Amino acid sequence: MAIQSFFESYGWYIVFGVAISAFVYSKFVSPALTEFFENKKIENQKKFDSRMDDVYGDNVKRAREKLQEKYQADAARSKDMKEEEKRKKVIEAKDQEDEAEGRLGGANDVELYVRNTINTNKIVIFSKTYCPFCRKAKVALSNYQPAYVAIELDEHKRGDAIQFNLHKITGVRTVPQVFINGQFIGGGDDTVAAHHSGKLASLL
C-alpha cells in the first residue's frame, strides 16, 4: 500500500524526470559522446597513418636512394667503358700508324734500324729522358765499358715507330729496353738485378 501510495503521489515526478533525462541524453549527451568517440577514432587513425607514413616513407626513401646509387654506378660504368673504348681506338690507330711507318723500305726501314742498333752496339738502351726506370738502368749500365748507347725515344722523330718495332722483337711495350751484345736483358729492374747478380759482367 505504501508503494502504491508513493507512486500515486510521486509517479508523475518520476515519469517527468525520466522524460527529461531521456530528452537531455538524446539532445546533448549522446551527440557529445558520439562526437568525442568520433574525434578519438579520427585521432587514432591519424596516429596510425602517421606511423605508416614514417614506415613507408623510410622504405620509399631507401628505395629511391638505392635506385639513385644504381643509376650513378651505371653511369660511371658506362663512362668508363666509353673512355676505355676511346683509348683502345687511339692505341689501335697509333699501332696501325706505327706499323705502316715501320714497314717503310730502304733508308727509312725502322725495323732494320732497330735491329742494326741492337746488333752493332755492345750495350744499348732504348729509353725516354723523363723515365725513372730508364735512369735506374742507366746508373747500372754506367759501371761497364764500352759506354752504353742510349736511344731516347721521346726525342727521336721515329720514336713511336721504334717502340712499335721493339715490341715486335721483345714482346714488351714499355721502356727501358736494354740489350747486351744483341741479347735482350729486360727493363729497369731486370737490368739492376742483372748488374747485382754479375750477369751483365759475364755478358761483356
Side-chain angles (χ1 to χ4, degrees):
M1 294 295 292
I3 295 174
Q4 183 178 357
S5 176
F6 175 81
F7 275 106
E8 287 177 353
S9 300
Y10 300 102
W12 68 274
Y13 289 110
I14 295 172
V15 172
F16 181 75
V18 170
I20 291 297
S21 298
F23 174 78
V24 170
Y25 180 83
S26 63
K27 189 69 176 177
F28 301 104
V29 177
S30 179
L33 288 174
T34 301
E35 183 179 0
F36 172 78
F37 286 117
E38 284 294 330
N39 289 338
K40 196 69 176 176
K41 181 179 178 181
I42 292 171
E43 182 181 347
N44 290 336
Q45 185 65 41
K46 286 182 178 179
K47 289 180 179 179
F48 176 79
D49 291 343
S50 178
R51 288 195 296 271
M52 290 298 98
D53 287 342
D54 290 341
V55 172
Y56 288 114
D58 289 342
N59 290 339
V60 170
K61 183 179 179 181
R62 284 193 292 269
R64 188 181 296 115
E65 288 174 349
K66 288 182 179 179
L67 285 174
Q68 184 67 18
E69 290 174 0
K70 184 177 184 301
Y71 171 77
Q72 291 175 347
D74 290 344
R77 192 179 302 111
S78 176
K79 182 180 178 181
D80 290 342
M81 290 176 64
K82 288 179 180 178
E83 290 180 352
E84 181 63 23
E85 188 66 25
K86 188 184 295 183
R87 283 195 295 269
K88 285 182 179 179
K89 288 181 179 179
V90 170
I91 292 172
E92 288 174 0
K94 190 65 176 174
D95 285 348
Q96 290 173 0
E97 179 183 339
D98 290 344
E99 184 176 8
E101 188 174 7
R103 288 176 177 172
L104 293 175
N108 294 324
D109 190 338
V110 179
E111 183 176 358
L112 180 61
Y113 166 78
V114 172
R115 292 188 181 278
N116 284 341
T117 302
I118 293 170
N119 294 326
T120 57
N121 293 281
K122 280 189 170 295
I123 306 174
V124 60
I125 175 172
F126 293 89
S127 169
K128 291 184 179 179
T129 56
Y130 55 80
C131 170
F133 295 99
C134 299
R135 288 194 291 271
K136 183 191 297 186
K138 289 172 184 175
V139 170
L141 294 176
S142 64
N143 292 282
Y144 303 95
Q145 291 295 330
Y148 62 81
V149 173
I151 309 298
E152 304 294 354
L153 301 185
D154 58 319
E155 295 180 343
H156 200 291
K157 65 179 181 179
R158 293 289 183 85
D160 290 339
I162 292 171
Q163 191 163 1
F164 173 80
N165 279 281
L166 282 170
H167 174 246
K168 288 172 60 178
I169 295 169
T170 66
V172 178
R173 286 187 177 275
T174 57
V175 292
Q177 294 194 35
V178 175
F179 295 84
I180 304 292
N181 283 326
Q183 180 177 335
F184 178 53
I185 302 302
D189 291 337
D190 299 320
T191 302
V192 172
H195 166 59
H196 290 308
S197 69
K199 180 180 178 180
L200 292 185
S202 68
L203 292 174
L204 290 168

